Amino acid sequence: MTETVLATAYLPNILYFAIIAQKKKIRIEHHETYLKQTFRNRTTILSANGPLDLTIPIVRTNGNHTQTSEIQIAYSEKWQIRHWRAIMSAYNASPFFLYYQDELEEMLMDKHETLMDLNGKLLSLLIKKLKIECEISFTEDYYPILGKQDLRIAISPKKDMKK
């Protein structure tokens, strides 16, 4: 498999979109064992007080052996309202936010069963709004890929992205 592979991400950062725009054909890993403390269920936005981490609470149905495709979203707390208020506070005055805020809010407020479902719909919306032409597909099996096309762990909150 020689295609570029990325992990799923919640409201991905600019590096993620730069890779998508450059590669034009991306596969999103669907069958890996879920990794904690990654951008799969978290994002960082720039608030008035500096960087603010937003994390979606999840349920790992099979504990540490749960595949990413099986990760469910927990709705026991009101994370959607918190996230939307933070996004509105941070970006409401930004140019063009008005043009996509309704769709973004609707997508965030919907109850999605799985993290992959929410992330996939958000990614599709953002690619459309950014007018990036690319082909996104999902892996059918887990492939232990090595090399520069495997970017599943390249974009991580634990890595310094400024380098």
Side-chain angles (χ1 to χ4, degrees), residues 21-34:
Q22 182 183 43
K23 299 296 183 177
K24 303 290 185 192
K25 189 173 184 180
I26 299 289
R27 297 197 66 147
I28 305 293
E29 179 58 66
H30 204 244
H31 295 283
E32 68 185 346
T33 301
Y34 180 79

PDB file of all heavy atoms in Angstrom, residues 21-34:
ATOM      1  N   ALA A  21      -4.082  18.632   1.136  1.00  0.00           N
ATOM      2  CA  ALA A  21      -4.030  19.452  -0.072  1.00  0.00           C
ATOM      3  C   ALA A  21      -2.857  19.063  -0.961  1.00  0.00           C
ATOM      4  O   ALA A  21      -2.965  19.075  -2.189  1.00  0.00           O
ATOM      5  CB  ALA A  21      -3.937  20.929   0.306  1.00  0.00           C
ATOM      6  N   GLN A  22      -1.754  18.678  -0.362  1.00  0.00           N
ATOM      7  CA  GLN A  22      -0.563  18.319  -1.124  1.00  0.00           C
ATOM      8  C   GLN A  22      -0.678  16.937  -1.747  1.00  0.00           C
ATOM      9  O   GLN A  22      -0.298  16.738  -2.892  1.00  0.00           O
ATOM     10  CB  GLN A  22       0.651  18.369  -0.198  1.00  0.00           C
ATOM     11  CG  GLN A  22       1.961  18.057  -0.890  1.00  0.00           C
ATOM     12  CD  GLN A  22       3.112  18.056   0.086  1.00  0.00           C
ATOM     13  OE1 GLN A  22       3.006  17.523   1.191  1.00  0.00           O
ATOM     14  NE2 GLN A  22       4.221  18.644  -0.319  1.00  0.00           N
ATOM     15  N   LYS A  23      -1.209  15.993  -1.008  1.00  0.00           N
ATOM     16  CA  LYS A  23      -1.227  14.601  -1.465  1.00  0.00           C
ATOM     17  C   LYS A  23      -2.385  14.284  -2.410  1.00  0.00           C
ATOM     18  O   LYS A  23      -2.280  13.395  -3.233  1.00  0.00           O
ATOM     19  CB  LYS A  23      -1.271  13.644  -0.274  1.00  0.00           C
ATOM     20  CG  LYS A  23      -0.090  13.752   0.650  1.00  0.00           C
ATOM     21  CD  LYS A  23       1.190  13.356  -0.032  1.00  0.00           C
ATOM     22  CE  LYS A  23       2.346  13.398   0.951  1.00  0.00           C
ATOM     23  NZ  LYS A  23       3.584  12.964   0.367  1.00  0.00           N
ATOM     24  N   LYS A  24      -3.508  14.947  -2.227  1.00  0.00           N
ATOM     25  CA  LYS A  24      -4.696  14.791  -3.072  1.00  0.00           C
ATOM     26  C   LYS A  24      -5.405  13.447  -2.940  1.00  0.00           C
ATOM     27  O   LYS A  24      -6.543  13.309  -3.329  1.00  0.00           O
ATOM     28  CB  LYS A  24      -4.377  15.032  -4.552  1.00  0.00           C
ATOM     29  CG  LYS A  24      -3.784  16.381  -4.850  1.00  0.00           C
ATOM     30  CD  LYS A  24      -4.800  17.463  -4.666  1.00  0.00           C
ATOM     31  CE  LYS A  24      -4.221  18.792  -5.092  1.00  0.00           C
ATOM     32  NZ  LYS A  24      -5.005  19.906  -4.710  1.00  0.00           N
ATOM     33  N   LYS A  25      -4.737  12.430  -2.416  1.00  0.00           N
ATOM     34  CA  LYS A  25      -5.363  11.119  -2.208  1.00  0.00           C
ATOM     35  C   LYS A  25      -4.914  10.599  -0.846  1.00  0.00           C
ATOM     36  O   LYS A  25      -3.744  10.304  -0.651  1.00  0.00           O
ATOM     37  CB  LYS A  25      -4.956  10.156  -3.320  1.00  0.00           C
ATOM     38  CG  LYS A  25      -5.724   8.867  -3.307  1.00  0.00           C
ATOM     39  CD  LYS A  25      -5.397   8.022  -4.516  1.00  0.00           C
ATOM     40  CE  LYS A  25      -6.259   6.782  -4.516  1.00  0.00           C
ATOM     41  NZ  LYS A  25      -5.998   5.929  -5.667  1.00  0.00           N
ATOM     42  N   ILE A  26      -5.860  10.522   0.073  1.00  0.00           N
ATOM     43  CA  ILE A  26      -5.553  10.181   1.462  1.00  0.00           C
ATOM     44  C   ILE A  26      -6.416   9.005   1.910  1.00  0.00           C
ATOM     45  O   ILE A  26      -7.586   8.910   1.564  1.00  0.00           O
ATOM     46  CB  ILE A  26      -5.849  11.389   2.386  1.00  0.00           C
ATOM     47  CG1 ILE A  26      -4.989  12.589   2.013  1.00  0.00           C
ATOM     48  CG2 ILE A  26      -5.697  11.033   3.852  1.00  0.00           C
ATOM     49  CD1 ILE A  26      -3.532  12.458   2.332  1.00  0.00           C
ATOM     50  N   ARG A  27      -5.818   8.148   2.712  1.00  0.00           N
ATOM     51  CA  ARG A  27      -6.583   7.093   3.381  1.00  0.00           C
ATOM     52  C   ARG A  27      -6.568   7.412   4.872  1.00  0.00           C
ATOM     53  O   ARG A  27      -5.538   7.743   5.436  1.00  0.00           O
ATOM     54  CB  ARG A  27      -5.962   5.735   3.118  1.00  0.00           C
ATOM     55  CG  ARG A  27      -6.029   5.437   1.608  1.00  0.00           C
ATOM     56  CD  ARG A  27      -5.839   4.034   1.322  1.00  0.00           C
ATOM     57  NE  ARG A  27      -6.956   3.291   1.870  1.00  0.00           N
ATOM     58  CZ  ARG A  27      -7.430   2.200   1.299  1.00  0.00           C
ATOM     59  NH1 ARG A  27      -6.925   1.756   0.202  1.00  0.00           N
ATOM     60  NH2 ARG A  27      -8.408   1.543   1.855  1.00  0.00           N
ATOM     61  N   ILE A  28      -7.725   7.308   5.478  1.00  0.00           N
ATOM     62  CA  ILE A  28      -7.850   7.517   6.918  1.00  0.00           C
ATOM     63  C   ILE A  28      -7.875   6.141   7.583  1.00  0.00           C
ATOM     64  O   ILE A  28      -8.672   5.285   7.210  1.00  0.00           O
ATOM     65  CB  ILE A  28      -9.143   8.301   7.271  1.00  0.00           C
ATOM     66  CG1 ILE A  28      -9.219   9.627   6.508  1.00  0.00           C
ATOM     67  CG2 ILE A  28      -9.258   8.507   8.774  1.00  0.00           C
ATOM     68  CD1 ILE A  28      -8.196  10.646   6.886  1.00  0.00           C
ATOM     69  N   GLU A  29      -6.992   5.957   8.555  1.00  0.00           N
ATOM     70  CA  GLU A  29      -6.902   4.670   9.261  1.00  0.00           C
ATOM     71  C   GLU A  29      -8.190   4.417  10.028  1.00  0.00           C
ATOM     72  O   GLU A  29      -8.632   5.249  10.802  1.00  0.00           O
ATOM     73  CB  GLU A  29      -5.715   4.668  10.215  1.00  0.00           C
ATOM     74  CG  GLU A  29      -5.562   3.385  10.997  1.00  0.00           C
ATOM     75  CD  GLU A  29      -5.401   2.161  10.115  1.00  0.00           C
ATOM     76  OE1 GLU A  29      -4.395   2.054   9.411  1.00  0.00           O
ATOM     77  OE2 GLU A  29      -6.304   1.302  10.145  1.00  0.00           O
ATOM     78  N   HIS A  30      -8.768   3.257   9.796  1.00  0.00           N
ATOM     79  CA  HIS A  30     -10.062   2.897  10.355  1.00  0.00           C
ATOM     80  C   HIS A  30      -9.961   1.703  11.300  1.00  0.00           C
ATOM     81  O   HIS A  30     -10.871   1.448  12.072  1.00  0.00           O
ATOM     82  CB  HIS A  30     -10.998   2.578   9.180  1.00  0.00           C
ATOM     83  CG  HIS A  30     -12.442   2.731   9.479  1.00  0.00           C
ATOM     84  ND1 HIS A  30     -13.313   1.681   9.457  1.00  0.00           N
ATOM     85  CD2 HIS A  30     -13.185   3.811   9.793  1.00  0.00           C
ATOM     86  CE1 HIS A  30     -14.532   2.101   9.740  1.00  0.00           C
ATOM     87  NE2 HIS A  30     -14.469   3.389   9.960  1.00  0.00           N
ATOM     88  N   HIS A  31      -8.864   0.963  11.240  1.00  0.00           N
ATOM     89  CA  HIS A  31      -8.789  -0.313  11.959  1.00  0.00           C
ATOM     90  C   HIS A  31      -7.633  -0.419  12.945  1.00  0.00           C
ATOM     91  O   HIS A  31      -7.325  -1.513  13.410  1.00  0.00           O
ATOM     92  CB  HIS A  31      -8.710  -1.468  10.959  1.00  0.00           C
ATOM     93  CG  HIS A  31      -9.951  -1.579  10.140  1.00  0.00           C
ATOM     94  ND1 HIS A  31     -11.112  -2.119  10.615  1.00  0.00           N
ATOM     95  CD2 HIS A  31     -10.219  -1.163   8.882  1.00  0.00           C
ATOM     96  CE1 HIS A  31     -12.052  -2.055   9.683  1.00  0.00           C
ATOM     97  NE2 HIS A  31     -11.533  -1.478   8.625  1.00  0.00           N
ATOM     98  N   GLU A  32      -7.007   0.681  13.273  1.00  0.00           N
ATOM     99  CA  GLU A  32      -5.936   0.638  14.265  1.00  0.00           C
ATOM    100  C   GLU A  32      -6.521   0.489  15.664  1.00  0.00           C
ATOM    101  O   GLU A  32      -7.690   0.784  15.894  1.00  0.00           O
ATOM    102  CB  GLU A  32      -5.117   1.924  14.204  1.00  0.00           C
ATOM    103  CG  GLU A  32      -5.918   3.127  14.663  1.00  0.00           C
ATOM    104  CD  GLU A  32      -5.211   4.443  14.506  1.00  0.00           C
ATOM    105  OE1 GLU A  32      -3.996   4.458  14.288  1.00  0.00           O
ATOM    106  OE2 GLU A  32      -5.887   5.476  14.618  1.00  0.00           O
ATOM    107  N   THR A  33      -5.711   0.058  16.604  1.00  0.00           N
ATOM    108  CA  THR A  33      -6.108   0.091  18.004  1.00  0.00           C
ATOM    109  C   THR A  33      -6.039   1.545  18.440  1.00  0.00           C
ATOM    110  O   THR A  33      -5.055   2.226  18.182  1.00  0.00           O
ATOM    111  CB  THR A  33      -5.176  -0.784  18.859  1.00  0.00           C
ATOM    112  OG1 THR A  33      -5.232  -2.126  18.367  1.00  0.00           O
ATOM    113  CG2 THR A  33      -5.593  -0.762  20.315  1.00  0.00           C
ATOM    114  N   TYR A  34      -7.103   2.006  19.074  1.00  0.00           N
ATOM    115  CA  TYR A  34      -7.213   3.412  19.463  1.00  0.00           C
ATOM    116  C   TYR A  34      -6.058   3.827  20.362  1.00  0.00           C
ATOM    117  O   TYR A  34      -5.737   3.156  21.328  1.00  0.00           O
ATOM    118  CB  TYR A  34      -8.545   3.650  20.171  1.00  0.00           C
ATOM    119  CG  TYR A  34      -8.742   5.075  20.601  1.00  0.00           C
ATOM    120  CD1 TYR A  34      -9.136   6.044  19.685  1.00  0.00           C
ATOM    121  CD2 TYR A  34      -8.507   5.459  21.917  1.00  0.00           C
ATOM    122  CE1 TYR A  34      -9.302   7.363  20.077  1.00  0.00           C
ATOM    123  CE2 TYR A  34      -8.677   6.771  22.309  1.00  0.00           C
ATOM    124  CZ  TYR A  34      -9.070   7.719  21.385  1.00  0.00           C
ATOM    125  OH  TYR A  34      -9.232   9.015  21.764  1.00  0.00           O
TER     126      TYR A  34
END
